Coordinates of all heavy atoms in Angstrom, one line a residue:
N1 N 22.6 11.8 110.6 CA 21.3 11.5 110.0 C 21.3 11.3 108.5 O 20.4 10.7 107.9 CB 20.3 12.6 110.4 CG 20.0 12.5 111.9 OD1 19.9 11.5 112.5 ND2 19.9 13.7 112.4
V2 N 22.3 11.9 107.8 CA 22.4 11.7 106.4 C 23.5 10.7 106.0 O 23.2 9.6 105.5 CB 22.6 13.1 105.6 CG1 22.8 12.9 104.2 CG2 21.6 14.1 106.0
W3 N 24.7 11.0 106.3 CA 25.9 10.2 105.9 C 25.9 8.8 106.6 O 25.9 7.8 105.9 CB 27.1 11.0 106.2 CG 28.4 10.4 105.8 CD1 28.8 10.0 104.5 CD2 29.5 10.1 106.6 NE1 30.1 9.5 104.6 CE2 30.6 9.6 105.8 CE3 29.8 10.3 108.0 CZ2 31.8 9.2 106.4 CZ3 31.0 10.0 108.5 CH2 32.0 9.5 107.7
F4 N 25.9 8.8 107.9 CA 25.9 7.5 108.7 C 24.7 6.6 108.3 O 24.9 5.4 108.0 CB 26.0 7.8 110.2 CG 26.2 6.5 111.0 CD1 27.3 5.8 111.0 CD2 25.1 6.1 111.8 CE1 27.5 4.7 111.7 CE2 25.2 4.9 112.6 CZ 26.4 4.2 112.5
R5 N 23.5 7.2 108.4 CA 22.3 6.4 108.1 C 22.3 5.8 106.7 O 21.9 4.7 106.5 CB 21.1 7.1 108.4 CG 20.8 7.3 109.8 CD 19.5 7.9 110.1 NE 19.2 8.0 111.5 CZ 18.1 8.4 112.0 NH1 17.1 8.8 111.2 NH2 18.0 8.4 113.3
K6 N 22.8 6.6 105.8 CA 22.9 6.1 104.4 C 23.7 4.9 104.3 O 23.4 3.9 103.7 CB 23.5 7.3 103.5 CG 23.8 6.8 102.1 CD 24.6 7.8 101.3 CE 25.1 7.3 100.0 NZ 25.9 8.3 99.3
W7 N 24.9 5.0 104.8 CA 25.9 3.9 104.7 C 25.5 2.7 105.6 O 25.8 1.5 105.2 CB 27.3 4.4 104.9 CG 27.7 5.2 103.8 CD1 27.8 6.6 103.7 CD2 28.1 4.8 102.5 NE1 28.2 7.0 102.5 CE2 28.4 5.9 101.7 CE3 28.2 3.5 101.9 CZ2 28.8 5.8 100.3 CZ3 28.6 3.4 100.6 CH2 28.9 4.5 99.8
K8 N 25.0 2.9 106.8 CA 24.7 1.8 107.6 C 23.5 0.9 107.1 O 23.4 -0.2 107.4 CB 24.5 2.2 109.1 CG 23.1 2.7 109.4 CD 22.9 2.9 110.9 CE 21.5 3.3 111.1 NZ 21.1 3.1 112.5
S9 N 22.7 1.5 106.2 CA 21.6 0.8 105.6 C 22.0 -0.1 104.5 O 21.3 -1.0 104.1 CB 20.5 1.8 105.2 OG 21.0 2.5 104.0
L10 N 23.3 0.0 104.0 CA 23.7 -0.8 102.9 C 24.4 -2.1 103.6 O 25.3 -2.0 104.3 CB 24.8 -0.1 102.1 CG 25.4 -0.8 100.9 CD1 24.3 -1.1 99.9 CD2 26.5 -0.1 100.3
P11 N 23.8 -3.3 103.2 CA 24.4 -4.5 103.8 C 25.9 -4.6 103.4 O 26.2 -4.4 102.3 CB 23.5 -5.6 103.2 CG 22.3 -4.9 102.7 CD 22.7 -3.6 102.4
F12 N 26.7 -5.1 104.4 CA 28.1 -5.2 104.1 C 28.4 -6.2 103.0 O 29.4 -6.0 102.3 CB 28.9 -5.6 105.4 CG 29.1 -4.5 106.3 CD1 28.7 -4.6 107.6 CD2 29.8 -3.4 105.9 CE1 29.0 -3.6 108.5 CE2 30.0 -2.3 106.8 CZ 29.6 -2.4 108.1
E13 N 27.6 -7.2 102.7 CA 27.9 -8.1 101.6 C 27.9 -7.4 100.3 O 28.4 -7.9 99.3 CB 27.0 -9.3 101.7 CG 25.6 -9.1 101.6 CD 24.9 -9.0 103.0 OE1 25.6 -9.0 104.0 OE2 23.7 -9.0 103.0
E14 N 27.3 -6.2 100.3 CA 27.1 -5.4 99.0 C 28.2 -4.4 98.9 O 28.3 -3.7 97.9 CB 25.7 -4.8 98.9 CG 24.6 -5.8 98.9 CD 23.2 -5.2 98.8 OE1 23.1 -4.0 98.6 OE2 22.3 -5.9 99.0
W15 N 29.1 -4.2 99.9 CA 30.1 -3.2 99.9 C 31.3 -3.6 98.9 O 31.7 -4.8 98.9 CB 30.7 -2.9 101.3 CG 29.8 -2.1 102.1 CD1 28.4 -2.4 102.4 CD2 30.1 -1.0 102.9 NE1 28.0 -1.4 103.3 CE2 28.9 -0.5 103.6 CE3 31.3 -0.3 103.1 CZ2 28.9 0.6 104.4 CZ3 31.2 0.9 103.9 CH2 30.1 1.3 104.6
S16 N 31.7 -2.6 98.2 CA 32.9 -2.8 97.3 C 34.0 -1.8 97.7 O 33.7 -0.9 98.5 CB 32.5 -2.6 95.9 OG 32.1 -1.2 95.6
D17 N 35.1 -1.9 97.1 CA 36.2 -0.9 97.3 C 35.7 0.5 96.9 O 36.0 1.5 97.5 CB 37.5 -1.3 96.5 CG 38.2 -2.5 97.1 OD1 37.9 -2.9 98.2 OD2 39.0 -3.0 96.4
D18 N 35.0 0.6 95.8 CA 34.4 1.8 95.3 C 33.5 2.5 96.4 O 33.5 3.7 96.6 CB 33.7 1.7 94.0 CG 34.6 1.5 92.8 OD1 35.8 1.8 93.0 OD2 34.2 1.0 91.8
Q19 N 32.7 1.6 97.0 CA 31.8 2.2 98.0 C 32.6 2.7 99.3 O 32.2 3.7 99.8 CB 30.7 1.2 98.4 CG 29.7 1.1 97.3 CD 28.9 -0.1 97.3 OE1 29.4 -1.2 97.6 NE2 27.6 0.0 97.1
W20 N 33.6 1.9 99.7 CA 34.4 2.4 100.8 C 35.1 3.8 100.4 O 35.1 4.7 101.2 CB 35.5 1.4 101.1 CG 35.1 0.4 102.0 CD1 34.8 -1.0 101.7 CD2 34.9 0.5 103.4 NE1 34.4 -1.7 102.8 CE2 34.4 -0.8 103.9 CE3 34.9 1.5 104.4 CZ2 34.1 -1.0 105.2 CZ3 34.6 1.3 105.7 CH2 34.2 0.0 106.1
R21 N 35.6 3.9 99.1 CA 36.1 5.1 98.7 C 35.1 6.2 98.7 O 35.4 7.4 99.1 CB 36.7 4.9 97.3 CG 38.0 5.5 97.0 CD 38.6 5.3 95.6 NE 38.1 4.1 94.9 CZ 38.6 2.9 95.0 NH1 39.5 2.6 95.8 NH2 38.1 1.9 94.2
Q22 N 33.9 6.0 98.3 CA 32.8 7.0 98.3 C 32.5 7.4 99.7 O 32.3 8.6 100.0 CB 31.6 6.4 97.6 CG 30.5 7.5 97.4 CD 29.2 6.9 96.7 OE1 29.2 5.8 96.2 NE2 28.2 7.7 96.8
L23 N 32.4 6.4 100.6 CA 32.2 6.7 102.0 C 33.2 7.7 102.6 O 32.9 8.7 103.2 CB 32.2 5.4 102.9 CG 32.3 5.6 104.4 CD1 30.9 5.8 105.0 CD2 33.0 4.5 105.1
I24 N 34.5 7.4 102.3 CA 35.6 8.3 102.7 C 35.6 9.6 102.1 O 35.7 10.7 102.7 CB 36.9 7.6 102.6 CG1 37.0 6.4 103.5 CG2 38.1 8.5 102.8 CD1 38.1 5.4 103.3
D25 N 35.3 9.7 100.7 CA 35.2 10.9 100.0 C 34.1 11.8 100.6 O 34.2 13.0 100.8 CB 34.9 10.7 98.5 CG 36.2 10.1 97.8 OD1 37.3 10.1 98.4 OD2 36.0 9.7 96.7
E26 N 32.9 11.2 100.8 CA 31.8 11.9 101.4 C 32.2 12.5 102.8 O 31.8 13.6 103.2 CB 30.6 11.1 101.5 CG 29.9 10.8 100.2 CD 28.8 9.9 100.2 OE1 28.3 9.5 101.3 OE2 28.3 9.5 99.1
G27 N 32.9 11.6 103.6 CA 33.3 12.1 104.9 C 34.3 13.3 104.8 O 34.2 14.2 105.6
N28 N 35.2 13.2 103.9 CA 36.1 14.3 103.6 C 35.4 15.6 103.2 O 35.8 16.7 103.6 CB 37.2 14.0 102.6 CG 38.2 13.0 103.1 OD1 38.5 13.0 104.3 ND2 38.8 12.2 102.2
A29 N 34.4 15.5 102.4 CA 33.5 16.6 102.0 C 32.9 17.2 103.2 O 32.9 18.5 103.3 CB 32.5 16.2 100.9
I30 N 32.4 16.4 104.1 CA 31.7 17.0 105.3 C 32.8 17.6 106.2 O 32.6 18.7 106.7 CB 31.1 15.8 106.1 CG1 29.9 15.3 105.3 CG2 30.6 16.3 107.5 CD1 29.3 14.0 105.9
W31 N 34.0 17.0 106.3 CA 35.1 17.5 107.1 C 35.5 18.9 106.6 O 35.7 19.9 107.3 CB 36.2 16.6 107.0 CG 37.4 16.8 107.9 CD1 37.7 17.9 108.6 CD2 38.4 15.8 108.3 NE1 38.8 17.7 109.4 CE2 39.2 16.4 109.2 CE3 38.6 14.5 107.9 CZ2 40.3 15.7 109.7 CZ3 39.7 13.8 108.4 CH2 40.5 14.4 109.4
Q32 N 35.5 19.1 105.3 CA 35.9 20.3 104.6 C 34.9 21.4 105.0 O 35.3 22.6 105.1 CB 36.1 20.2 103.1 CG 37.3 19.4 102.7 CD 37.3 19.1 101.3 OE1 36.5 19.5 100.5 NE2 38.4 18.4 100.9
Q33 N 33.6 21.1 105.2 CA 32.6 22.1 105.5 C 32.9 22.7 106.9 O 32.5 23.9 107.1 CB 31.2 21.5 105.5 CG 30.7 21.1 104.2 CD 29.4 20.4 104.3 OE1 28.5 20.8 105.1 NE2 29.2 19.3 103.5
G34 N 33.6 22.0 107.7 CA 33.9 22.5 109.1 C 35.3 22.4 109.4 O 35.7 22.1 110.6
S35 N 36.2 22.5 108.4 CA 37.6 22.2 108.6 C 38.3 23.1 109.6 O 39.3 22.7 110.2 CB 38.4 22.2 107.3 OG 38.3 23.6 106.7
Q36 N 37.8 24.2 109.9 CA 38.4 25.1 110.9 C 38.1 24.7 112.4 O 38.6 25.2 113.3 CB 38.0 26.6 110.7 CG 36.6 26.9 110.9 CD 35.6 26.7 109.7 OE1 35.8 25.8 108.9 NE2 34.7 27.6 109.6

């Protein structure tokens, strides 16, 4: 509801390498919250 919806609302023609990096960084931060 937060991460996926945020990113799916951004049209792909507006995506840059930095945005892909941010998507992955945010995913890693979520992963760390439940890494066990």
Side-chain angles (χ1 to χ4, degrees):
N1 294 323
V2 178
W3 182 58
F4 182 72
R5 284 188 178 183
K6 168 189 173 181
W7 287 103
K8 81 172 188 163
S9 68
L10 182 66
F12 279 126
E13 57 266 11
E14 297 177 14
W15 283 52
S16 67
D17 289 345
D18 287 339
Q19 286 163 315
W20 276 105
R21 220 174 343 272
Q22 185 180 351
L23 167 88
I24 292 168
D25 289 348
E26 288 175 7
N28 283 333
I30 295 167
W31 192 341
Q32 289 174 0
Q33 292 177 39
S35 63
Q36 68 271 36

